[in-house]
Amino acid sequence: MKTKTKAKPAKASLAHNPKNGYESITPADRKRSEEINRLYLDFLAKAKTEREAHDEGVTLLEAAGFTNLALNEAANIRLKPGDRVYRSCEGKTLMAVTIGKKPLADGMHIIGGHTDAPRIDIKQNPLYENSGLAMLDTHYYGGIKKYQWLTIPLALHGVFVKPDGRTIKVNIGENPADPVFCITDLLPHLAADQMRKSLADSIPGESLDVVVGSAPVAEKDRKEKHKYNVLKILHAGYGVDEQDFLSAELELVPAGPPREAGFDRSMILAYGQDDRVCSYVALKALIDMKAPPEYTSVVLLCDKEEIGSVGSTGMAANFFENTSAELLNLTAASYSELHLKRAMSNSWMLSADVNALFDPMHPGVSEKKNSAEMNHGVCVTKFTGSRGKSGSSDASAEFMAHIRRIFDRNGVLWQTGELGKVDQGGGGTIAHLMARYGMKVIDCGVGLLSMHAPMELAGKLDIYMSYKAYLAFLKDGRK
Ligand code: MN
Ligand code: MN
């Protein structure tokens, strides 16, 4: 029997089977992916701390015509659609903005990443000597597996700030001609007791002190000659003395540049990809968006995510809200608290942080069909949290549907993934901090292997697809 009404043609398959993007990538996408990844490698090599990521971000933004919003604030210079500005928070957190055609109260499209990464900080009173070695006492930052940081070459990055306000930058260990530093470990021959301990207990935090010298100063009556030699070298190179450690922020990070990985060069192996990878491609997407967007576009590169987004430079502080108030003041006919609240609650946001990829060496911690795989595209995570979704910001099905529309319309290869099995552990990002304004937020970023290790592994196609996803999201007119 004939029917008069034709059913809508079905998709080739009703099933959902995500595939590796290298199977179907177009030559144009492959070329662009290599370009974006090359630029990402350049950025990563220069941005090994949150301060360096901030400074490199400002350099890239200014080269693309973004100006400091502080100038507009000081002289009450109005902003119009297409204007590009940035605002710094203490040289660590950075917000970059392209003004949209719609009023700010209609909402913004925000992408928020973070540029701090797990590392080993130097204590405020760190220098001592013991048994012929000069040492710096340390205090680790963020969630690390401590044993991974032993015996690898470490570089020292950061600042000394003098009471007169001068900032002295330190960067030792990245140039191949520089010395590096290291934390020692026991030889296996004498490690019988250590090896019987659990991974969590075998390396106490106080045993992560770093060796920084072994030559004593040649001064007959000098006490603590090894320590004094280090002080002399620091004074000669940086003009600092022992007290200056009190107003310093010095960070030990794995030394050396990021590298391509694999015979096929399809991956990046590098320190600090959580979350400089999402941060960089978000910034790049904003820079590459030439026409004024419908909704004001914002990229946030935040500090302190790895320790809970606390402090004046963390996402839990008011920097974003205050900056939005400044934007409203410079774009609207008159400033109104009500319009600020509307701008916040009408906003859409991608919480641009990394997720865990399925690791074939450790399959037991993941549930495979809800795990992301390398080079299957940018990973969207509806909710994070742990156990019964504790601490998660669960994006609505309605917002998830908008994300599907945006990505599918713009040729973005994407997948979904949860962070491990339900009871295995979990994690969270800055999503919940923004969701409290009533804005729509979803986690969306690059999947990693060996997250938080000194070297993290990411897929180039996932990096590129995050760039495409972020660009499509910023441009989207919600139609
Ligand atoms: Mn992260
Ligand atoms: Mn992290």
Side-chain angles (χ1 to χ4, degrees), residues 160 166 168-172 229-241:
F160 286 99
R166 271 181 303 140
I168 299 145
K169 286 189 187 176
V170 176
N171 183 332
I172 309 168
N229 198 32
V230 171
L231 287 173
K232 277 184 83 171
I233 292 165
L234 284 173
H235 190 260
Y238 301 93
V240 296
D241 59 31

Side-chain angles (χ1 to χ4, degrees), residues 246-272:
L246 297 173
S247 51
E249 285 178 356
L250 299 168
E251 308 176 8
L252 288 165
V253 298
R259 307 286 296 267
E260 291 182 305
F263 286 117
D264 54 13
R265 296 172 181 264
S266 62
M267 298 168 282
I268 303 286
L269 181 70
Y271 166 67

Side-chain angles (χ1 to χ4, degrees), residues 114 116 274-275 305-306 352-354 428-429 451-452:
H114 69 90
D116 62 319
D274 175 8
D275 178 39
E305 193 275 345
E306 295 294 357
D353 205 349
V354 298
T429 63
M451 192 195 296
H452 284 205

Side-chain angles (χ1 to χ4, degrees), residues 357-375:
L357 292 175
F358 184 84
D359 186 340
M361 293 296 99
H362 305 280
V365 302
S366 299
E367 188 264 293
K368 197 152 193 216
K369 63 184 189 312
N370 283 288
S371 298
E373 286 187 41
M374 186 171 284
N375 287 322

Side-chain angles (χ1 to χ4, degrees), residues 43-65:
F43 174 82
L44 211 47
K46 292 176 196 155
K48 297 191 75 163
T49 66
E50 69 286 10
R51 283 178 189 268
E52 291 172 1
H54 168 280
D55 292 354
E56 189 57 19
V58 168
T59 302
L60 295 173
L61 287 166
E62 288 188 342

